[in-house]
Amino acid sequence: MEIEDSLTSRSGSRDRQCNLSDHTCKKRKQEPFVNPALCITEDEEDEEDDHEKTTEHKKDPEEPSTKRVRPVAKSNSLTGVITPAKTPALKRFGQSITRSISFRTEARPLPPANMRSRQKPPLFTRKHNSQCWSDTVESHDLTAKEIKRQEVIYELTQGEKQLIEDLILVKKVYYEPMLKLEIMTESELGHIFGTLDSLIPLHEDFLTRLEKLRGSEKTVGEVAPTLMNWFPCLEAYITYCCNQVGAKALLDLKKQDKAVERFLLLCQESPFSRKLDLWNFLDLPRSRLVKYPLLLKEIQKCTPPEHPDEDILPDALELILSIVEEVNKKTGEAECQFYRRGLAYMEESQRIPEIQLSRFLYCQGELKNSKGQRLHVFLFELALVLTRLGEDREGGHLYQVYRQPFPNALLNLEDIPDSEAGGGGTFRTAFTGGNDKVRNCFRVSSRGRAKAQSHSLQANDSFNKQQWITCLRQAIVQSRDRSSLTSQNLQSPPPDPTLNNLADLSLNPAIEMTHHATH
């Protein structure tokens, strides 16, 4: 309303000026009229002058204003009209295809929030430090390779600081308020956040050790012994990462609650979240874990042969790789067990032993069959299971087993090339929606069973199709090798009963010699 009043008053004043003086009116036509309500001045002094001239203009409406002003579009000041802030691109969150396709999700940023000028900064505003090691020292006499080594070690240290700050933020901003406001129960929050609280002192200890390594010139000498001593602490990640499978499912279920959804939305819109949602923060420890081997390899590349770390770094790298592998293995087993429990069998014959004997998932995701139905498909270690997504009584996901599951050892795979002659009319209609070409399809079928069955499936795109084909081929080969090995063991003759005590003979020669001597 103030802008409209200003426009009306100044427009009326302009008309009066034209009536009173033709000379003044002609002079005004030479210079385009700029609305002061939509402009800002060059600096604070110009604002004061503008205020004085506005006062004089009110006193003498016949005198035209000759003050030059600058349009808002050319200024970045917050005192003017503020343009919407650009949302930063977020990294894709996911795990390897060998783990799960469904975990490959994308964090979508929310639209930028309305900003107000001269707003007080929020309490938890977070900006990650992009400073390099070279910026922290005034001068140094190091080689380019040694400078690179110091930069990587500094990046390792700064990464620990940022992780600790983010974990504390999650605890203070998400966990504690939701518990205090009773948005979720303590049991539900404990399931979603898992052992996150115990990871904070773990990384604080590592940060303290790294900072103690910095000398008077802010350089780090030996770092490998510290890494070797601390890396075993990362075994605590096994418990945390194994819990994440069920935690993600429970969090998605609780988001259906309006109170939970509203609280998480407000947090995501706040500046402290950097447009990340709660799950992005909960996944930060896992992301940090898989980055340690990469940083260690960079340190190893920049370490000269005569350096004391040269002999220890390979052992440290081998240690962290074994820990990451163990965490992935245990997490895969927890994921497999979680989805096995979510299967709903329509017939008892569908409960094939290969499902229960599977220890991990190769991949999972949505595929479309030739009838146009969307199926959620699981490729377990020993079985391929097609399901239809449903809900249980609590609103959680339930996977109804569709048709008979396939043992991987009896599975045939056929790649259907993209072509215009990809099957009959119904086949094309289901997969193409009336278009000519059939794209991104493959066929699975069983062999050696009385009730042979076949399913033509379509992936979302060519990349997704290639992932499925790669995993299916790997699963088929490994399952057949395992079945062949099991058959060979069953066909081998049983061991000679007279050799049952062979180990005892070799371990206790004195006793056996005495035994034979007495006979």
Side-chain angles (χ1 to χ4, degrees), residues 124 169 174 267-277 281:
F124 292 100
L169 182 145
Y174 286 94
C267 290
Q268 189 172 351
E269 289 177 338
S270 301
F272 64 78
S273 69
R274 308 191 302 278
K275 301 301 178 183
L276 302 178
D277 61 14
F281 284 106

Side-chain angles (χ1 to χ4, degrees), residues 170 175 186-199 236 239-244 246-248 250 279 282:
V170 172
Y175 181 87
E186 185 175 2
S187 175
E188 291 171 340
L189 291 172
H191 191 182
I192 292 174
F193 287 82
T195 58
L196 183 71
D197 196 27
S198 66
L199 301 181
T239 303
Y240 180 78
C241 291
C242 288
N243 178 75
Q244 277 193 302
K248 180 66 166 59
L250 178 58
W279 183 252
L282 294 176

Side-chain angles (χ1 to χ4, degrees), residues 231 243 394 506:
F231 278 160
N243 178 75
E394 299 178 355
S506 59

Side-chain angles (χ1 to χ4, degrees), residues 32-33 44 55 85 102 118 124 149 152 176 186 310 326 393 397 418-419 427 431 440 451 460 465 471 478 494 508:
F33 175 76
E44 294 181 357
T55 306
S102 67
R118 300 179 182 178
F124 292 100
R149 182 175 180 273
V152 179
E176 293 179 358
E186 185 175 2
E310 178 66 16
E326 182 67 15
R393 295 180 180 178
H397 287 325
D418 297 344
S419 63
F427 185 86
F431 282 146
N440 310 319
K451 295 181 180 180
N460 295 329
K465 170 189 173 180
C471 291
Q478 293 187 358
N508 303 286

Side-chain angles (χ1 to χ4, degrees), residues 10-73:
R10 292 181 184 273
S11 177
S13 175
R14 182 184 178 190
D15 295 336
R16 289 195 299 273
Q17 291 169 10
C18 290
N19 294 331
L20 292 172
S21 175
D22 293 337
H23 174 73
T24 304
C25 186
K26 293 179 180 179
K27 187 176 181 181
R28 290 292 296 275
K29 288 181 179 179
Q30 295 175 358
E31 297 182 3
F33 175 76
V34 181
N35 185 3
L38 298 178
C39 302
I40 59 174
T41 57
E42 294 288 337
D43 50 29
E44 294 181 357
E45 294 181 0
D46 289 345
E47 289 181 358
E48 295 177 359
D49 294 342
D50 185 46
H51 177 69
E52 293 175 0
K53 290 187 178 182
T54 303
T55 306
E56 293 176 0
H57 180 72
K58 290 180 180 179
K59 292 180 180 179
D60 188 6
E62 297 182 2
E63 182 179 354
S65 174
T66 59
K67 177 170 178 57
R68 298 179 64 86
V69 293
R70 185 168 55 131
V72 170

Side-chain angles (χ1 to χ4, degrees), residues 57 82 137 334 345 418 431 469 513:
H57 180 72
I82 299 176
V137 294
Y345 298 95
D418 297 344
F431 282 146
I469 289 179
M513 289 178 63

Side-chain angles (χ1 to χ4, degrees), residues 62-209:
E62 297 182 2
E63 182 179 354
S65 174
T66 59
K67 177 170 178 57
R68 298 179 64 86
V69 293
R70 185 168 55 131
V72 170
K74 297 181 180 180
S75 173
N76 294 328
S77 173
L78 289 178
T79 58
V81 180
I82 299 176
T83 57
K86 292 183 179 180
T87 305
L90 297 178
K91 295 181 178 179
R92 180 178 295 273
F93 153 75
Q95 298 185 7
S96 171
I97 183 61
T98 57
R99 288 278 313 283
S100 169
I101 289 178
S102 67
F103 266 62
R104 191 178 297 274
T105 59
E106 183 174 359
R108 298 181 179 176
L110 293 174
N114 295 329
M115 298 176 61
R116 297 181 181 178
S117 59
R118 300 179 182 178
Q119 186 178 7
K120 293 183 180 181
L123 181 61
F124 292 100
T125 299
R126 282 280 296 110
K127 291 184 178 180
H128 280 176
N129 188 7
S130 59
Q131 191 180 41
C132 300
W133 173 83
S134 302
D135 300 330
T136 65
V137 294
E138 297 180 358
S139 61
H140 56 77
D141 186 17
L142 301 175
T143 63
K145 191 172 185 178
E146 180 60 29
I147 293 174
K148 176 64 176 177
R149 182 175 180 273
Q150 295 298 327
E151 295 286 4
V152 179
I153 297 175
Y154 185 77
E155 181 184 353
L156 174 64
T157 305
Q158 292 302 111
E160 292 300 306
K161 287 183 179 180
Q162 294 168 5
L163 178 62
I164 293 169
E165 292 174 1
D166 284 334
L167 295 183
I168 293 176
L169 182 145
V170 172
K171 179 182 177 182
K172 296 293 184 182
V173 177
Y174 286 94
Y175 181 87
E176 293 179 358
M178 283 194 288
L179 181 62
K180 185 176 182 180
L181 297 174
E182 297 182 350
I183 296 177
M184 292 191 202
T185 65
E186 185 175 2
S187 175
E188 291 171 340
L189 291 172
H191 191 182
I192 292 174
F193 287 82
T195 58
L196 183 71
D197 196 27
S198 66
L199 301 181
I200 298 176
L202 186 149
H203 287 278
E204 286 177 339
D205 173 55
F206 187 38
L207 178 60
T208 301
R209 298 187 189 192

